[in-house]
Amino acid sequence: MSPCVTCTRRESGFCGAAFRTAPPRPSTNGDQQKFAAVGAGKQLLTQGKSSDYVFVLCAGWAFRYIQVSDGGRQIDRFLLPGDLFSSLSIFEEAPHFSAKALTTVQICGFARAELRERCFDDRELQSVVAQSCLSDGRDAAQLIAILGQCSAEQRIAYLLLHLMRRIAASQVVRERRYPFPLRQQHIADAVGLTPVHVSRVLSLFRERGIVALADGVLEVIDAPALERIGQL
Amino acid sequence: MSPCVTCTRRESGFCGAAFRTAPPRPSTNGDQQKFAAVGAGKQLLTQGKSSDYVFVLCAGWAFRYIQVSDGGRQIDRFLLPGDLFSSLSIFEEAPHFSAKALTTVQICGFARAELRERCFDDRELQSVVAQSCLSDGRDAAQLIAILGQCSAEQRIAYLLLHLMRRIAASQVVRERRYPFPLRQQHIADAVGLTPVHVSRVLSLFRERGIVALADGVLEVIDAPALERIGQL
DNA sequence: CGGTTAATTGATGTGGGTCAAAAGCAGTGG
DNA sequence: CCACTGCTTTTGACCCACATCAATTAACCG
């Protein structure tokens, strides 16, 4: 079985569709590919620790973060099924971020050297990688703008909208209820606030009838209102 | 004259060395390249406005920013001689940012279609582009962490260090005095603070004997102290 | 010389942090 | 079945880093 490098079903997807349905195996498959299933909360990748593989999240949720010296961490991206851990990881050995599983996940690793080699010749693959870099870059720039310029309400609304769209792009959503495995602590680490303030803002959103977030599902009651708050 | 796509003298440089010394011309040169000199403060690029060219800053300073709806702007990168406006601009027609000249600048534009075509075959060029994407991506991730997790002093110290290193990489620095054309307003827009608070923090750094910033030059008196404050 | 733009400084306000307690809610094990 | 533990969320009281508003000074320039 070879990596499905031409799959472009999801906007920023890499080979998600194939791997979401592929049976995960706990071990390596030659030198080309590795599969693994990992429990919720486990460390997947560590900042600066080099690896010869490029990883794709096949199932479950995960997140990338940067550790800061005072003990805090900044989550800079949530990973959904089909996502490359980082599009740039194809070009660098040691990631500039760490990653943790949010739920139980299945991941797949490709030998970087081989992938890179193919990148030189395969235009299709080049284009997929370029698209992935693009969407990564745009998301990063938006997050920078949000963190630098926006209030707590705007930050949280932005995050919810951003995730809603990504979830909706990859699966059918019924009755505006989105699967949402983040704890408030994760939201806090992603938007640069404290968990207690996140709780306050979410309560506020709830009593204003905008969104209700509980038990791992995000229910969007007044999407236009959320967009009014959370757009750049 | 063809673009010097193989020049890798500066870490994140594109073809800076050649263009810094090349005589700028005010008009196009066939369909492949365009040169222009632009005055300080002028708009160079506008968010969402598509163009068929990929731009490189040949001389002077500029900055990229994202406009937010409430009137503020977030500067997400300062551009030094030799920098691509954005490494991702090779792959997208309309930039997700705007750009302005900080000083008088000289810029050079390459036809995107042609550059992209060459990218498919030319491994050297691919590698240069990949390196540029990498350093862009790492810088963005660091800025996200700084904005989300750090205090005003840390943010400003980080920005100063980051720029110091980039300046030092591209030119000789005498007596720890760095050319520094930013106004306090630019610093404020880059680190998500108000200009008056930037002024206060800089005064503090000055009276503590860490840095002195005046008249377009940044004098670093106690570099270790600055690093202690501004590292991630 | 007045007019403009940048930097500084002071007084006061506030969004969000910190600290702490309580409440809800899985597990877990007797 | 209930007590115990640990984790998450909520709520309240208080605090502080930074914003806001406003006045002053300095530099530059036609």
Side-chain angles (χ1 to χ4, degrees), chain A residues 73-75 78 147 155-156 159 182-199 202, chain B residues 148-149:
Chain A
R73 71 176 176 197
Q74 174 66 38
I75 295 179
F78 290 96
L147 292 178
R155 294 178 193 205
I156 293 174
L159 178 65
L182 321 201
R183 315 274 84 202
Q184 294 185 0
Q185 178 71 62
H186 297 119
I187 301 179
D189 290 341
V191 298
L193 298 168
T194 53
V196 337
H197 200 64
V198 169
S199 168
L202 288 178
Chain B
Q149 305 293 320

Side-chain angles (χ1 to χ4, degrees), chain B:
Chain B
M1 173 180 165
S2 72
C4 82
V5 289
T6 60
C7 165
T8 53
R9 211 186 85 190
R10 290 182 54 239
E11 187 221 345
S12 69
F14 185 61
C15 8
F19 288 120
R20 271 202 301 278
T21 54
R25 276 154 281 174
S27 63
T28 63
N29 167 9
D31 275 351
Q32 306 301 305
Q33 276 179 253
K34 276 163 103 175
F35 293 91
V38 182
K42 289 283 190 308
Q43 190 88 16
L44 299 176
L45 228 62
T46 312
Q47 204 166 338
K49 212 165 135 191
S50 66
S51 151
D52 295 332
Y53 291 84
V54 172
F55 293 99
V56 173
L57 186 65
C58 306
W61 286 54
F63 62 92
R64 284 179 2 195
Y65 65 97
I66 291 176
Q67 199 66 49
V68 302
S69 43
D70 67 353
R73 72 176 176 196
Q74 174 66 38
I75 295 179
D76 76 328
R77 186 166 181 85
F78 290 96
L79 303 172
L80 270 58
D83 285 343
L84 268 169
F85 276 38
S86 159
S87 36
L88 297 175
S89 60
I90 297 169
F91 308 113
E92 67 181 348
E93 302 214 336
H96 59 274
F97 56 82
S98 300
K100 268 205 167 90
L102 204 51
T103 65
T104 297
V105 298
Q106 287 164 16
I107 62 174
C108 171
F110 299 90
R112 180 181 298 104
E114 197 243 354
L115 202 56
R116 217 153 155 181
E117 202 47 47
R118 294 189 46 186
C119 239
F120 283 122
D121 317 312
D122 185 339
R123 293 165 87 102
E124 199 87 41
L125 178 55
Q126 271 181 41
S127 167
V128 171
V129 171
Q131 287 311 310
S132 171
C133 285
L134 262 183
S135 92
D136 250 41
R138 273 192 294 253
D139 288 351
Q142 285 214 351
L143 185 53
I144 288 171
I146 290 286
L147 292 177
Q149 305 293 320
C150 296
S151 70
E153 288 191 20
Q154 294 176 309
R155 294 178 193 205
I156 293 175
Y158 169 82
L159 178 65
L160 298 183
L161 283 166
H162 179 75
L163 288 176
M164 274 171 55
R165 295 194 186 112
R166 294 182 59 203
I167 297 166
S170 73
Q171 63 185 82
V172 179
V173 170
R174 284 181 206 282
E175 295 171 2
R176 331 209 107 188
R177 291 165 62 86
Y178 299 77
F180 203 83
L182 321 201
R183 316 272 85 203
Q184 293 185 0
Q185 178 72 62
H186 297 118
I187 301 179
D189 290 341
V191 298
L193 298 167
T194 52
V196 334
H197 199 65
V198 169
S199 168
R200 283 189 231 273
V201 172
L202 288 178
S203 302
L204 214 132
F205 282 176
R206 197 173 303 125
E207 71 193 36
R208 280 203 245 149
I210 299 174
V211 296
L213 175 46
D215 305 318
V217 345
L218 171 70
E219 189 178 355
V220 181
I221 298 152
D222 187 349
L226 193 61
E227 265 153 25
R228 240 172 287 131
I229 300 170
Q231 76 201 334
L232 253 179

